[in-house]
Structure formats: structure tokens, C-alpha cells
Amino acid sequence: MELIARERLLGWLRRGLPLVDRPYRAVAEDIGATEDDVIAEIARLTETGAVSRFGVIVDHQALGYTSNAMVVWDIPDDVVDAAGERLAGCRGVSLCYQRPRRGAEWPYNLFTMIHGRDPDEVARCVEALAESCGLTGVRRELLFTVRRFKQTAPCYGARRA
Amino acid sequence: MMDDLDRRLLDEFQRGFPLDPRPYAAIAGRLGCTEGEVLERLSRLKAEGAVARVGATFRPHRVGSSTLAAMAVPEERLEGVAALVDGFEEVNHNYQRAHRLNLWFVVTAPARERVEGVMAAISRATGLEVQEFPLVRAHRLDLGFPLWN
């Protein structure tokens, strides 16, 4: 697929496909490619990992999942990979990233996002996660989200309409 | 009001969306309804705000450079500092969280130098330290999560 067409396809994926019976054909017509090309390119983007998820993107806030916390864990370095894999596979965990510690005040090296309908549900979920992953003795903190100032798609280059 | 079919539509197709020329017919086949019904429901769920879009989320770091950053902002300055941070087009997420480090944001740019430049500019403009928490390893990207059951 030509670079321009590919860039425009990425724009469609970011904004959302049209809700019509043949969405790939509709996009193909707009970007000057074939339906098969569009399908193959989305498959390729997913396989290579450039796209982490392709599907129905739900708005958790609108569905009543109004509470979430960034939960940070202080995991011994030699088991942080294993703990990360276990936590990543658990229900309720939407993101699971290793990040560097920052001194005595910030000893946490594993960051997870946990969602729920209210703070109690988030807290119960964290408790259950710690139990099921063998992390009850591990120091952790819950940083509840108080306010969302900004949430937009990342800008990696020149903006396109 | 949402029914079981709505919930399955929201829950079971957050990834692995059918790459079939008629994806909504493929979904209808799995849910035991018609293609028209799937489209009608998704349109309604989108109008109601439950569905943001049928589309993609992208993996960080594959294009350009990004990092997570945090600041400890005095409560009375929070609004102003948050607005200043929001003003950078390189900032795509910015949240207040309940902690001493109370402002957390993601900086994304085509090149690492620009990411560093934005953090330095925020620090200069506010007189506050900007702590960086770069990604070491992703165990789970935004893959969605089950809403029910």
C-alpha cells in the first residue's frame, strides 16, 4: 500500500470506521486502495504489533466505569517480569508496564491500571489481584484518578484532517 | 436500556474484530442476529456514548517517542499548571491523581529531543520538578477489559 494511502488508513483507524455493511470497501474508496488492500493492511498492522487492538472501542466512563486507579507495585527485580506477566493476564487490568524506580520515595517498578464502577470495587479488585498473584506482601499504592484534564489520540507527526 | 445483545457486542469484539468484507454479518453470525441489527445497535450505542468508535488503538513507541511524567503540584496551583501542560500539543493524556505526585501526563513526539524539550519547558515555566517514568517493558497494552460476567 502506498504511503499516503497508509497514512490515511491510520487516520480512519484512529477516528473510527464508518458503520456501514462494507466498511473496508468504504475506506478503500476514500483512500484510493482496494478492499482487499485495506483488510490486508489492518491484518499486517495487528500482526506486527503497531496496532495493539482493533475492534469496538468502548467508553468506560459512559458505561459507568467511572473509577480507576493507577496501582503501582514494588516488586523485587528478579521476579518483576514474572509478576508483570501474571498481573497482565488478570481481569480488570487494562495496562501493565514496567517503569524505573525513583529513589526511596518512589520504590515502585510495576504500573497497572485498574478500573471499576466505584472506588470500593477498584480496591477490592486490587486486593484480589494481590492474592491471586502472590503479591500480598509487596508494597503498593493506589493513585485514584481525580480528574481527567486531557485525553486525546497521540500526535506523532503532522496533523491530518 | 442495554440488553444482553448490546452487552455481548460491547464485550466480545473489543479486539479481533472480523477482517471479513462484511464484518457486521460475521458478528451477527456469532450473536445469532442479523447484520442490520448489529449495525443499528452499534449506531445507537455510539450515539449514546457507550461506543467511542470501531477502530484501533496503537502501541506506544512504534512511531515516535513517548514517556510518562509526573509532578507534585501545590493544590492551589493545580488548575493553572494543568492548563499549561494541556497547552502542549505533545501532551495527549493529563490526569490529576490522589497522591503527592498529583499530576500525571504522557508526552509524545516524533523525536526524543522534543519529548525532553517539552518536559524541560514545563519545568521552566512552573519552577517545579518534572519526574520522568519511561517505559521499560510493556506486559499488557490497552487490550480492553471485560465489562460484565
Side-chain angles (χ1 to χ4, degrees), chain A residues 10 12-24 35 39 42-43 45-46 48-60 62-63 65 68-70 80-82 84-85 88-100 102 105-106 108 110-111 113 115 117 141-157 159, chain B residues 2 9-10 13-24 35 39 42-43 46 48-68 78-79 82 85-89 91-101 103-104 108-110 131-149:
Chain A
L10 293 179
W12 275 106
L13 293 175
R14 214 167 265 136
R15 293 188 306 272
L17 302 179
L19 287 173
V20 296
D21 59 351
R22 295 184 68 169
Y24 306 121
E35 185 179 41
I39 290 174
I42 296 172
L45 288 166
T46 309
T48 60
V51 158
S52 52
R53 176 153 74 92
F54 173 58
V56 177
I57 315 281
V58 303
D59 184 326
H60 299 120
L63 287 167
Y65 283 73
N68 65 69
M70 185 173 80
V80 67
D81 278 339
E85 290 304 311
C90 290
R91 291 178 55 87
V93 178
S94 68
L95 296 168
C96 183
Y97 291 166
Q98 270 181 56
R99 298 186 187 276
R102 290 286 182 247
E105 247 197 288
W106 192 268
Y108 311 107
L110 198 64
F111 291 51
M113 281 304 303
H115 303 256
R117 276 161 285 220
E141 274 193 84
L142 280 68
L143 283 73
F144 277 98
T145 304
V146 179
R147 205 168 1 162
R148 177 167 73 181
F149 286 111
K150 187 177 188 181
Q151 188 183 39
T152 56
C155 170
Y156 291 107
R159 286 197 187 283
Chain B
M2 271 192 269
L9 260 178
L10 292 173
F13 301 94
Q14 292 187 26
R15 53 186 151 141
F17 193 79
L19 286 170
D20 182 290
R22 296 181 65 165
Y24 303 107
E35 180 184 31
L39 279 163
L42 279 174
S43 300
K46 200 173 168 205
E48 289 169 359
V51 165
R53 64 185 189 276
V54 173
T57 59
F58 295 86
R59 189 186 182 106
H61 278 307
R62 296 301 284 244
V63 244
S65 176
S66 71
T67 199
L68 176 68
L78 190 63
E79 295 265 349
V85 170
D86 277 359
F88 285 88
E89 71 166 0
V91 171
N92 55 292
H93 289 261
N94 185 20
Y95 293 95
Q96 180 188 354
R97 299 198 195 281
H99 192 268
R100 191 186 69 82
L101 287 170
L103 196 65
W104 291 78
T108 304
Q131 287 217 66
E132 191 192 352
F133 298 87
L135 181 63
V136 173
R137 182 170 170 197
H139 291 284
R140 186 186 174 102
L141 298 154
D142 175 19
L143 299 179
F145 63 91
L147 298 161
W148 292 280
N149 66 62

Side-chain angles (χ1 to χ4, degrees), chain A residues 110-131:
Chain A
L110 198 64
F111 291 51
T112 49
M113 281 304 303
I114 316 288
H115 303 256
R117 276 161 285 220
D118 55 61
D120 279 349
E121 190 178 271
V122 173
R124 282 196 306 273
C125 179
V126 173
E127 199 63 52
L129 281 173
E131 295 241 342

